[in-house]
Amino acid sequence: MSKEQPRRPLDETEEPINYGDVFNVSGELSSKPIAPQDAAMMQTAENMVLGQTQKGGPAAVMQAAATRNERAGLVGHREFSDVAGDQGVNVTQIDSPGRRTITESVAGQVVRRYVQPAPVEQTAVEVIQQSAITIGEALEASAQSAGNKAVDQSDASAIQAAEIRATGTNAITPGGLAATAQSAATYNARFDRDEDKIKLRDVLTGATTKLPADKAATRQDAEGVVNAELRNNPIQATHPGGVAASVSAAARLNENVNV
């Protein structure tokens, strides 16, 4: 986050937190409110490329701003800002001898670039790690971003839809992700305290190895997973960073990659 761009105080509820308030960006993007699905896209991108959401990084900043904007009623839970929604977010990792350069951008504008030391035995002069995100990888991302959420029927339905999309078959794999998620939801329904319940991370950690087949997430896959989660959620909303949100974010990221 740019030191020259301080955040707007949280008690100012009449105006949203815009990209220009927290990042050193210009043009149309600077005046756009940060929306929940923008943050979900960046969170998924960081998880996919870097292995986890970066503490104090763009995804964390965007999530905090989007949460505040949503609570103030200034953006909708399923909303994208039009610029970020159209042009997407991107995280790239370029490795060169002795160092690794990470660049994160929104709608083509860099919001953070930093350098980390890399193993000196690395021989590649330059490697850009950017590939299509699979459904399994998106499920693993939700295990990180919403891992503490107790599994309920909406999660189980979304995971089932994701598994069907990933494998290309309507058959549920015995002992697989969908079957495990449904068992967890049934089990959790008997308890009131969250600490007694099975969490998403318990079901989705290592999801790629638990799927008999996998594929790059597409917009059609995301729509199927979102609809499944919404149908079984009494408040008709997807969970931030959850299964549907992560698959949707992965699909939007993949639109910038040849899948």
Side-chain angles (χ1 to χ4, degrees), residues 52-67:
Q52 61 183 358
T53 301
Q54 302 300 291
K55 184 177 181 180
V61 172
M62 290 168 66
Q63 184 60 60
T67 298

Side-chain angles (χ1 to χ4, degrees), residues 122-205:
Q122 193 170 11
T123 57
V125 175
E126 185 176 271
V127 178
I128 301 179
Q129 296 185 355
Q130 182 70 24
S131 58
I133 302 167
T134 68
I135 292 173
E137 289 170 334
L139 293 177
E140 289 182 351
S142 66
Q144 295 185 45
S145 57
N148 289 328
K149 182 183 185 299
V151 179
D152 59 21
Q153 190 57 52
S154 67
D155 301 315
S157 297
I159 292 168
Q160 179 176 327
E163 181 177 293
I164 288 172
R165 292 278 181 170
T167 61
T169 175
N170 289 325
I172 302 303
T173 304
L177 286 178
T180 302
Q182 184 58 60
S183 296
T186 302
Y187 174 88
N188 287 347
R190 295 182 291 173
F191 296 92
D192 294 325
R193 301 190 311 167
D194 261 10
E195 53 264 40
D196 297 327
K197 298 180 179 182
I198 300 169
K199 306 301 193 295
L200 275 177
R201 65 172 175 268
D202 300 322
V203 175
L204 295 179
T205 297

Side-chain angles (χ1 to χ4, degrees), residues 24-46:
N24 188 18
V25 295
S26 60
E28 186 179 4
L29 179 64
S30 66
S31 63
K32 294 296 181 181
I34 299 176
Q37 296 305 317
D38 299 2
M41 279 197 297
M42 183 61 81
Q43 189 172 48
T44 296
E46 286 189 359

Side-chain angles (χ1 to χ4, degrees), residues 7-246:
R7 292 195 206 181
R8 194 186 305 274
L10 292 180
D11 59 353
E12 290 185 15
T13 57
E14 72 276 6
E15 294 291 337
I17 299 176
N18 298 326
Y19 278 95
D21 296 324
V22 294
F23 298 121
N24 188 18
V25 295
S26 60
E28 186 179 4
L29 179 64
S30 66
S31 63
K32 294 296 181 181
I34 299 176
Q37 296 305 317
D38 299 2
M41 279 197 297
M42 183 61 81
Q43 189 172 48
T44 296
E46 286 189 359
N47 283 335
M48 294 303 98
V49 178
L50 307 178
Q52 61 183 358
T53 301
Q54 302 300 291
K55 184 177 181 180
V61 172
M62 290 168 66
Q63 184 60 60
T67 298
R68 181 267 186 194
N69 287 344
E70 183 179 357
R71 286 176 177 170
L74 301 169
V75 296
H77 176 70
R78 298 182 65 188
E79 186 174 338
F80 292 91
S81 63
D82 51 6
V83 178
D86 290 341
Q87 300 182 43
V89 306
N90 199 29
V91 177
T92 61
Q93 179 174 287
I94 301 176
D95 292 336
S96 54
R99 68 177 187 175
R100 175 176 295 126
T101 303
I102 298 166
T103 303
E104 303 188 50
S105 60
V106 178
Q109 296 195 50
V110 174
V111 295
R112 189 187 188 200
R113 179 180 286 126
Y114 57 101
V115 177
Q116 294 179 336
V120 295
E121 65 268 21
Q122 193 170 11
T123 57
V125 175
E126 185 176 271
V127 178
I128 301 179
Q129 296 185 355
Q130 182 70 24
S131 58
I133 302 167
T134 68
I135 292 173
E137 289 170 334
L139 293 177
E140 289 182 351
S142 66
Q144 295 185 45
S145 57
N148 289 328
K149 182 183 185 299
V151 179
D152 59 21
Q153 190 57 52
S154 67
D155 301 315
S157 297
I159 292 168
Q160 179 176 327
E163 181 177 293
I164 288 172
R165 292 278 181 170
T167 61
T169 175
N170 289 325
I172 302 303
T173 304
L177 286 178
T180 302
Q182 184 58 60
S183 296
T186 302
Y187 174 88
N188 287 347
R190 295 182 291 173
F191 296 92
D192 294 325
R193 301 190 311 167
D194 261 10
E195 53 264 40
D196 297 327
K197 298 180 179 182
I198 300 169
K199 306 301 193 295
L200 275 177
R201 65 172 175 268
D202 300 322
V203 175
L204 295 179
T205 297
T208 54
T209 63
K210 298 174 183 177
L211 287 170
D214 202 359
K215 66 182 285 289
T218 66
R219 185 182 292 268
Q220 291 73 29
D221 298 327
E223 289 174 353
V225 175
V226 167
N227 288 336
E229 186 168 317
L230 288 175
R231 279 197 307 269
N232 293 277
N233 190 326
I235 64 173
Q236 286 291 294
T238 58
H239 186 79
V243 176
S246 293

